[in-house]
Amino acid sequence: MRIGIYPGSFDPLTYGHMDIIERALKVCDKLVVGILLNSSKNNLFSLDERVEILRHCCREYENVEVMSFGGLLTDYCKKHKINCIIRGLRAVSDFEYEITLASINRRLAPDVDTVFLMARDENLFVSSSVVREVSRYNGDISTLVPPHVAEKLKAKFS
Amino acid sequence: MRIGIYPGSFDPLTYGHMDIIERALKVCDKLVVGILLNSSKNNLFSLDERVEILRHCCREYENVEVMSFGGLLTDYCKKHKINCIIRGLRAVSDFEYEITLASINRRLAPDVDTVFLMARDENLFVSSSVVREVSRYNGDISTLVPPHVAEKLKAKFS
Amino acid sequence: MRIGIYPGSFDPLTYGHMDIIERALKVCDKLVVGILLNSSKNNLFSLDERVEILRHCCREYENVEVMSFGGLLTDYCKKHKINCIIRGLRAVSDFEYEITLASINRRLAPDVDTVFLMARDENLFVSSSVVREVSRYNGDISTLVPPHVAEKLKAKFS
Amino acid sequence: MRIGIYPGSFDPLTYGHMDIIERALKVCDKLVVGILLNSSKNNLFSLDERVEILRHCCREYENVEVMSFGGLLTDYCKKHKINCIIRGLRAVSDFEYEITLASINRRLAPDVDTVFLMARDENLFVSSSVVREVSRYNGDISTLVPPHVAEKLKAKFS
Amino acid sequence: MRIGIYPGSFDPLTYGHMDIIERALKVCDKLVVGILLNSSKNNLFSLDERVEILRHCCREYENVEVMSFGGLLTDYCKKHKINCIIRGLRAVSDFEYEITLASINRRLAPDVDTVFLMARDENLFVSSSVVREVSRYNGDISTLVPPHVAEKLKAKFS
Amino acid sequence: MRIGIYPGSFDPLTYGHMDIIERALKVCDKLVVGILLNSSKNNLFSLDERVEILRHCCREYENVEVMSFGGLLTDYCKKHKINCIIRGLRAVSDFEYEITLASINRRLAPDVDTVFLMARDENLFVSSSVVREVSRYNGDISTLVPPHVAEKLKAKFS
């Protein structure tokens, strides 16, 4: 069985993430969406809020499990028998960062492969940081995030 | 009438910025140089100082107005009937960031176009952060910034 | 008066080109679409065919003139009082090539500026070579080129 | 069932290709290695030779089928119920080309996903053109291609 | 006599750095490894610790001197008759940053050349930040840093 | 003794090449400028012409030798006790190609290092192909090539 993990901060979840999750489900039999515990970052949404948002938005996918994790991604993979890391490709700078990560993860866990998927053209430029910036000033984010996330953002900034 | 905005931190203004301002004036009938209000950043020059510097260095351009702005750039554009965002192109990483910004701004304000201009070869590698670093240690910045800026930097670091 | 030129092979014209032409008309008072005479290339459409296609597809734009030109672009600009070269930005490799071209053109004609515009997200990956390849095998190109071009392609490959 | 296709010229097959084939087998239940019929290119090995080489080198993989194909990749996918295109990622220029291809293929066949895999560090810089160049002058290619390919190359250039 | 400087944070030293140091010794008659005094950064190892680590790991190279420096690199070069700055090339984003630095340093000190060297394939993706992250969670770093550094990291995180 | 080779087509020699040659002489005790014998390319200048041009333009450098070579660069290095390959860095696409070449050359000759040097800002966008194109149409190339090359180009195209 192919079990994949799609790691990220998801602060907040965007249509770009949803796009990758849907594609990943065609490659994996089961997908763990892994929210990174990252104490050093100033997050907009708490870990609990992000877990709730992701669970809500993925509630219709039977094979998706939303989890949080700390420590090394490869340790988490070994422990949970995950054999596939899912990454979304966006821009060039991303790409460089991604092959570095994939190269290091392969050293740490040679049996875990990294699979890169590409979001639809209209989602290629969507990122969580753009969403945070636009919603902070009450800009229209309806093409960037699912309605549930839009509501949570509205509540956060009102 | 074509009204453009050239947004940035200008902390401080460099010859690279001046280069783009001059080119922008050939594309726009009027140009707003928009200094970004950015409370989260540790700026070297205060907003007032940056406004003064820009007004002084652009005093000979009749169609340039120096303003500060906060919030979403596209909101400012709509409010002030600006139909053109001017951006200077430098390196590749810049380019990626710039097409992301342009893509998002187009969603928020489809009538506002982003126009990219390219600085002269000798200004392609000039940035505010390099200027700050070099002047901090009393290095020669005479080829990087206008004399007025050089004076202000000298005063700041002495 | 700002007169721009949008140079290219246009073999064939795509929605990506149309996108840039429309944006260029907001920056220029008049736009010359300049079809490059390029004897060394194996073109799909003859120069005459490409002129016809472009004139047909741009017939509703009052300020667009379709021309062919050989020799140096900057010589053509000087001769026809063109002060602005329009280029569409697509991918990174493009970008490198474009700044090289812009840098050289500036040496040859310092008064002619290069202005870069960005096509809509859905047109960022559309190119003439992709269109030729897809239509050669009867693939669906309706989202890539205007109907008039689609017809011509169909006739060409049937 | 997930059926993938790994398209390419394979002129000749390298360790970089073998690396991707092995990884693709973890993502797909069955993998078609699709040798592109490309009449316009000056190939070193004929199509028959390339088919023989690939079949020989993949003989131990049960779920790999070596085929040649012409026309549009997406047409081939539809006809053979292939739902996944496998591509190997190497350098940045590659990456740009790959997202263009993936974007167009998605328009032509929305149900076929493109999956990018990354070769091991030591294979990231291996390409067929480098192999042809090095073996032409009798350079050591033992770390670049499987022994069977090395023999064929030796015979070709002796 | 060619005296080079290899500047960096070395927090901590990696096999990537060692790789560049060895190559630099073929280009320079003497090499200064210059540890950047950087008060604003949250370093893992103190300056003294980094000096000790570098001296220990370079103890067998006769022509290497380990120093720390603050201020402008080019001032340090002028003062110590250094005529060559050594930089290791890794990824694309690096490259952009590196040519910016080299361009500015050349303005400040035209007689000091920047020489770029490339680490072995297996070290191309090794960075201090990756090492810090992996060792923080007790991951295997034996292929990333010399044994002496591995010990220090272990002590630091236990 | 450090003997370097600066390989290339030099069709024709540009100020960008001269820039790198001058810098290479600070890194090497002796420099071979190696003109690539390349039968498959349609060269503008014959091999003999290019040798003459390079010898003329380098006549004041005592330690430069102009040679032509065919076959593998690393074979030539081994035969002539060359321990250093000099490459000029320009744009990103170049960079990718260059690290690929350097990686392969290191496999073929581990004792030969590749050293990358960077041309001055104003030479970063100068290439032989641009020079050929501009001079073909009688454009001004005085800032792109030495006077001797300009004369030869004029004669060639008149």
Side-chain angles (χ1 to χ4, degrees), chain C residues 82-129:
Chain C
I82 291 167
N83 40 27
C84 176
I85 298 169
I86 300 289
R87 302 292 294 175
L89 279 182
R90 284 189 312 193
V92 162
S93 32
D94 250 28
F95 174 59
E96 290 297 327
Y97 176 70
E98 293 296 341
I99 58 174
T100 300
L101 258 189
S103 167
I104 294 299
N105 283 334
R106 191 177 292 161
R107 293 190 194 209
L108 296 173
D111 292 340
V112 182
D113 258 300
T114 301
V115 167
F116 300 96
L117 301 172
M118 201 182 99
R120 243 181 303 273
D121 293 7
E122 65 263 34
N123 288 332
L124 272 181
F125 301 114
V126 176
S127 72
S128 292
S129 65

Side-chain angles (χ1 to χ4, degrees), chain F residues 51-118:
Chain F
V51 168
E52 184 278 330
I53 286 174
L54 263 158
R55 289 204 174 134
H56 183 272
C57 293
C58 295
R59 70 193 179 283
E60 287 175 17
Y61 302 121
E62 277 184 23
N63 304 318
V64 170
E65 198 175 344
V66 177
M67 306 292 287
S68 63
F69 77 97
L72 289 180
L73 175 57
T74 44
D75 285 346
Y76 189 85
C77 290
K78 286 174 193 166
K79 197 170 156 195
H80 293 81
K81 310 214 175 303
I82 291 167
N83 39 28
C84 176
I85 297 169
I86 300 290
R87 302 292 294 174
L89 279 182
R90 284 188 312 194
V92 162
S93 33
D94 250 29
F95 175 58
E96 290 297 328
Y97 175 70
E98 292 296 341
I99 56 172
T100 300
L101 259 190
S103 167
I104 294 300
N105 283 334
R106 191 177 292 161
R107 293 191 194 208
L108 297 173
D111 292 340
V112 181
D113 259 299
T114 300
V115 167
F116 300 97
L117 301 172
M118 201 182 97

Side-chain angles (χ1 to χ4, degrees), chain A residues 37 70-72 75 92-93 96 99-101 103-104 107-108, chain E residues 91-93 122-123 125-126 130 133-134 137 139-140 143-144:
Chain A
L37 276 172
L72 288 180
D75 286 346
V92 163
S93 31
E96 290 297 329
I99 56 172
T100 300
L101 260 190
S103 168
I104 294 299
R107 292 191 195 207
L108 296 173
Chain E
V92 163
S93 31
E122 65 264 34
N123 289 331
F125 301 114
V126 177
V130 158
E133 181 74 6
V134 173
Y137 298 109
D140 177 14
T143 66
L144 306 175

